[in-house]
Every structure is written in C-alpha cells, then in structure tokens.
Amino acid sequence: MKLQKKALLLAMTATFAIPMAQAETAPTQLQFSDPIRVNDRAPADFGQGNKVKLDLLGNGMLISTFGEAVDGTKLVYDPKDQVERPASDIFVRTCNTITADCSVESNWSNPVNLSNTATRSSMNADWQGINGEPSAFWGDSDKPNVSTGGTNVMVSWTDKFCPAMDGDTDGTNQRAVTYLTRENREIPFSCTYVSQSSDGGMTWSVAKQLSDGSRDAKQDVNKVALDGKAVVTWQEDPLGLSLGEGDGPGDGASGATASHGTDIWISTKTAATDFSAGVRITDNYGTQSASGQHDPIKDATGNLVDDANIESGQVAATRANTNLVGPNIVVAYEESKGSEGLDDGKYVRYHAIPFANPLNPTTVTGQAAGCIISNPTENARRVRFIPQAIPGTESGVQMGIFWKEGENTNGGPSDIMVRLAKNGVQPANMTPAVDPNCATSDFATAQALTSVRASNLSSNTKAGTNNLTDATDTNPYENALAHRGAIVGDDVYVGYSYTTDWALATYTDQVIYDFWLRHYDGTTDTWSAAKNLSNLPTNEFDVREPRFVKTPAGDGYNPNAFIVAWGLQTNVPTHIESPEDVDIMYTRSFDKGQTFEPVVSITNPEGVGRFESQLRPTPDGLTLYAAWNESTIDGKTKAMIAVAETIDAPVPEPLPAVATSSSSGGCSLNQQAKFDPLLPALLLAALGFLGFRRFSKK
C-alpha cells in the first residue's frame, strides 16, 4: 500500500480520537465488527467487487448486491476508466440477521448470478481500436440499483448484452459508437435489465430485458412497493454514452451529458403482470434526425448507420429519479433548455403520473412536458426527492424535492434548493409555489414563468446567515453538492457537502468540503440552522460521498434516529492531481439531530482506500449494517460489509494542567482544551502529518 495514504489514515485516526464537539455528544457510540468481504470468488479472485449495495428487509433478511467478473479471458473496454478489464456480472448474497451472525462471511448464502451475461455476446465490435478487426464484446453489467417493498426486491442495471427482443424480426437492433478520442475504440450500446424476488431474496426471476440497445441506456432507477407494483425508468442516448467533460466532482461518462433527442423511458408491472414495453416519458425525439459532427454509429452487422436513421431533437433529458407515492409514479430529471444557444443550462422537470395509466403521460392535464420546478433562468441539475406514503400529521408534508442550482457553469458554484409537497404530490401541492403553467417546452414561455423561488438551504452556510429566500448569487463563491435527505412524518432532513469557496476548493488545498445538515420541523413550519456534522479539523481532507439514512419501520421503531456517514478524500488541487479515497466515518443521532455520537471508523490496518458506503440500520437504530467498496494495493476492488452494535461512549479524561507564564497572557493546555475540545486530537494529527510531510518530500 502507499505509505502516503497510510500516514494520512494514521493522522485521521488521531483526529477523531475524541468526539467532534463534547457538548453535542450522545452517551453511546457504534462499535463495528471486523469487516468481511462478500465478493470473494476464490480461487478465481478477479477483485472487481464494485458498486456494492445493501438492503435490510422487514423480516430481517440482509441482501448484498454487487458486480464481479467471472472469466478473466472475457475482456471489455471501459471508456469511463479507460481500461481493459474482465466483463462483470451482477451477484446477490443474503444473510438472515434473525438466525445468524452476519459479521461472519460463512453465514452468507453463496453468490447468485442475476445477469449471466459476462460470457455472452450479442455484437462484435472493434473495441480494441485496431481498425477492422471486430471481436466479441461481452455482456458487461453496469452497477446494480436496488429497491425493496416488504419481501419484494428488485434489481435493475444496464448491460452490453442486447440480443433481439420479442417483436424484432431482423435480429438484434443493438448499435455501437466509435469513440474517436479513445483510440477509435468501438463500444456497443447498453440496454436495461431487471430481476425480481418476491420471497425476500431466496429466489430470483430470470433477468428481463427492457430495451433493445438501439439507443444507449444509462441511469436506470427502480422502485417496488409492498403490493408488488413496480416501475423502472432509464435514459436512452441515440448517439451513445457521452464521455462528458468531468467538470464536476466525478470523472465524466455518467450520463449527465447527453446528445439531443435523449429521452427518459419507463416500464411498469403489477404483482399479476409482467413488465410493460418501455415507452418515453419525455418528448425530446420528434421528426429530427442526427446531423453534423458526432462519433460514428454502427449497427449490429458493422455497417455505418446513416444520420437519417439516428434520432435527434432539440433537448436531452438525463439522470431521472423515480418513486411510487400512493397511486402515483413521481419522476424528476434534468433537461437541457433548447434555447438555440441563448442559455445552455438545464431545467429540473417533474411528473406525477397515475400508476393506473403510466404509458400516456398526456392523460395528466397540462403535464405532458413535465413541470419546470427550478429557476428557469439558472442551471439546475441532480434532482432528488424523499417521499412518504402518509403525509405528516401536523404539516401535511408528503415529499421533499431538492436539487443543485446556480449560474450556468459546468460543475461550478451552486446552492441546494428545495420545495416541499404537502397533502399530495402534484405541482399544485408544492411550496414555495410553482407557476400553474410550469409544463411548457417553449423556451421563451419558460423564461417568463413566475414560480416563487425554491427555498435556498445552503446560502452562506458557514457564516450562519443562510436565508431561505436568498438567490443563488447572494454568495457567488460558495458551493454545495452531494445533497442527501430523509422524511419522517413531520420532519424533513436535508444534508449537503459545502465549501466557502468553490474555486479555492477546486484549484488549491486551502479550503475543504464539510457535510452540513438542516432539519425542517413541520409542526412549526421552520428550518433549523445548518449544523456541521463532519467538522473536519484540518485542510488535509475533503468530505466525499456522504450518506444519510433513517431507521425503517418495524419492531421497536425509533422515528427520531438516523445514521450519517461520509467518505474522506485527500484535499488536492484537482487540476494537478486526482484525490485519493481514504476512509469512511460514521456517526448517529437518536434525537432528531440534537446530539450526535462520537465519530468512528471501521478497523483498517492496511490503510486501504474506502468509498461509496451503504447504511442499513435496524428499526430501533441500535444495530447498523454497513457496506462499502475498497481499493487494494494491487489495483483490485473489494465489496465489504461490517456490523455495528451500540456501546457506551468513553468519557474523555481531563488533561493535566500545564503551567504557563501569567505575564504572557497565556493559559494552560487544560484551559485551552475547554475552549477547543478538538485541540488534543489536532496535536496528535499534526504529529502524524509531520511524519507524512517529511516522507513525501524525499
């Protein structure tokens, strides 16, 4: 392992040797078991345990889903990471927490392969970029996305294995794009799949193909309800997945950037029916065809596809989120404005569609285009929502919907904006209110909408003067991102990563991102001041990939408890070097965020980089199941799990007084610690960093 990362981890351990703020600390804390690995396929260890997901059902069944390779000879090219690697399948393992100790790897079921495509090919492609020598491109499965409802579990993903579907008469319709900036490598389009279990993960349906690969599928989201109703949405790009520019915190190729004519698609089912044929929610593809400069598109036989046979349009819709709320399917996504170059930002659009007739969104009066709920003159993206089936008793709050918004700069400064939906999920139920004419596709009409500005949760966060009515340019330097949230009755929680200066955070190591939380109390219709949960004491680290998870309903349910976690990355100028994942930190509250437990991490003796955590607490909040990915020194990735129980938090012993000269106006170290309870940890951290600095300069 890298000595640099080891030094950082040692320093981080010292930093969190005591709670983040003594006066706000709860009397208990989490204590984790030693971690176990769930993607181990010995003796063939491919070390590609990626995008691990974790779910806990009401009957106590713990379900872990992850990707892993099955054959080291079946190679594919990953244009996002720019590497050749073995193709991956989607696997699932289960453990019954009622009857077994799930911190023991042998108590988990054997892996079940849900996708079974990594050794199958539906299309030959010149994926090695050697011009004219196509070979099999194997069915590489992208990350699994999981939802649960009772004992119903659903997993969806996108895949490179896209054979002919029912109704295809001329073979597969799959196409491929030649990435000219990736050594002319030809990569097939992806299609969307889903698999379900109705018995809590004991048995699984054969994977169902929902799209045909004639457009490139990405960003699938699914939701299954207690009664077996289910919905899947995804986006399809007619020109193939865009590599993007990586201007935000990611590396690009996420589906955020897409070509004109990219639509959001939907498929639904009930407990008694199969999934319906996919149809478009959005109306971006019309009578236009592709034209101009784009990477070459080929069909399944290797022939170039004429532009006249490639879809296009005025705008692109991307990164949809989807849920089921009562009789409605709610869908929100970001969409380019179609302004003919006048404004290149994005809107956030929203649909509430009756589940009984979801295939024809025009049946919802005035919402065929989707309601624009963001400020139409700014750039809005990464929309998320947190719904609940029954509105809050006092407030009627049923859903929070929130997104990033700011001036039109790629990955630039933004604030976190929110609207609440009360006693229903139609646009008319939202507060602050949206213009009744919000469902328009005309750019000029959209610019003239008179919606009340959404509440600004992040404006001047650190200064403590954050005002809900602030415009995003009230403070044009700060940046907020990675928004997370939960809704519990009359309480809404929204957290976000925040820095005081986007430019300094991006191009220097002088400022950092911390994770902050705001709480909406529906009984008083008020938002709390922002509270810094991570409170990193040095500039050596940034918060990355925070998580916020409420307790699920069930025996012993504590609605006041929730779990928070955040990853740590080295804080470096990102235009010079890439940050390294360091570790994941955990804390918990049992009183709606009034107090928090000491921040802890999971034993990491080798100092491996950890990232992308998953959290699943029991209904009482006393036990936590955590999953994450971690990198190894030999470049592999592992899918890991640990179990945390509740113990009494240690009481820090008072430090001995240290005499100082009264004439200097100083105070004892013990007196200083009263003013700053983090000082002892900072001293220990400084020693660790001095060692690291000394080594790194050699």
Side-chain angles (χ1 to χ4, degrees), residues 26-71:
T28 56
Q29 73 175 49
L30 293 163
Q31 178 172 277
F32 282 94
S33 65
D34 289 335
I36 61 172
R37 180 179 175 187
V38 293
N39 73 305
D40 190 1
R41 292 176 52 79
D45 181 9
F46 297 105
Q48 288 186 191
N50 59 9
K51 300 294 182 181
V52 61
K53 300 294 176 66
L54 192 65
D55 287 274
L56 178 64
L57 304 187
N59 62 3
M61 187 65 73
L62 201 59
I63 299 177
S64 175
T65 316
F66 53 90
E68 179 58 279
V70 297
D71 187 334

Side-chain angles (χ1 to χ4, degrees), residues 172 297 309 432 651:
T172 179
I297 307 297
N309 296 317
V651 178

Side-chain angles (χ1 to χ4, degrees), residues 297-518:
I297 307 297
K298 293 183 179 179
D299 62 21
T301 62
N303 295 317
L304 279 173
V305 180
D306 189 90
D307 278 2
N309 296 317
I310 301 174
E311 295 175 358
S312 188
Q314 291 294 317
V315 299
T318 56
R319 294 196 288 195
N321 267 296
T322 304
N323 216 307
L324 294 170
V325 187
N328 295 303
I329 301 169
V330 293
V331 183
Y333 51 89
E334 58 194 34
E335 185 177 78
S336 53
K337 296 182 178 180
S339 64
E340 302 296 335
L342 296 176
D343 185 346
D344 293 329
K346 294 180 177 180
Y347 304 131
V348 166
R349 289 191 184 271
Y350 172 81
H351 298 256
I353 305 169
F355 185 91
N357 191 14
L359 305 186
N360 183 7
T362 59
T363 60
V364 184
T365 303
Q367 289 192 55
C371 175
I372 298 172
I373 61 173
S374 59
N375 183 339
T377 67
E378 294 197 320
N379 184 26
R381 60 267 195 214
R382 286 193 177 275
V383 58
R384 297 185 171 102
F385 40 58
I386 40 177
Q388 58 185 357
I390 301 174
T393 304
E394 299 293 328
S395 64
V397 65
Q398 191 158 21
M399 182 172 68
I401 182 165
F402 48 108
W403 62 91
K404 282 167 54 73
E405 184 173 296
E407 294 185 1
N408 181 27
T409 53
N410 291 333
S414 64
D415 278 306
I416 304 302
M417 313 299 288
V418 66
R419 295 190 195 275
L420 301 178
K422 297 186 175 182
N423 296 310
V425 293
Q426 296 297 331
N429 297 104
M430 290 188 181
T431 179
V434 295
D435 191 313
N437 300 311
C438 57
T440 177
S441 294
D442 178 70
F443 175 72
T445 303
Q447 299 301 292
L449 291 175
T450 59
S451 300
V452 180
R453 181 187 294 136
S455 298
N456 188 335
L457 294 187
S458 59
S459 179
N460 286 311
T461 286
K462 190 170 184 178
T465 58
N466 38 344
N467 190 322
L468 295 174
T469 62
D470 280 354
T472 62
D473 61 359
T474 298
N475 182 338
Y477 308 106
E478 64 189 349
N479 187 43
L481 45 76
H483 36 302
R484 307 288 189 261
I487 184 170
V488 185
D490 291 302
D491 297 293
V492 178
Y493 305 91
V494 177
Y496 51 90
S497 296
Y498 173 87
T499 186
T500 55
D501 194 304
W502 170 85
L504 286 177
T506 303
Y507 299 112
T508 77
D509 60 0
Q510 299 306 301
V511 298
I512 63 171
Y513 282 91
D514 267 310
F515 186 62
W516 296 73
L517 178 69
R518 297 195 71 175

Side-chain angles (χ1 to χ4, degrees), residues 57 149-154 196-205 228 271:
L57 304 187
T151 58
N152 297 307
V153 189
M154 184 160 59
Q196 279 193 285
S197 172
S198 60
D199 55 10
M202 302 301 293
T203 60
W204 293 86
S205 67

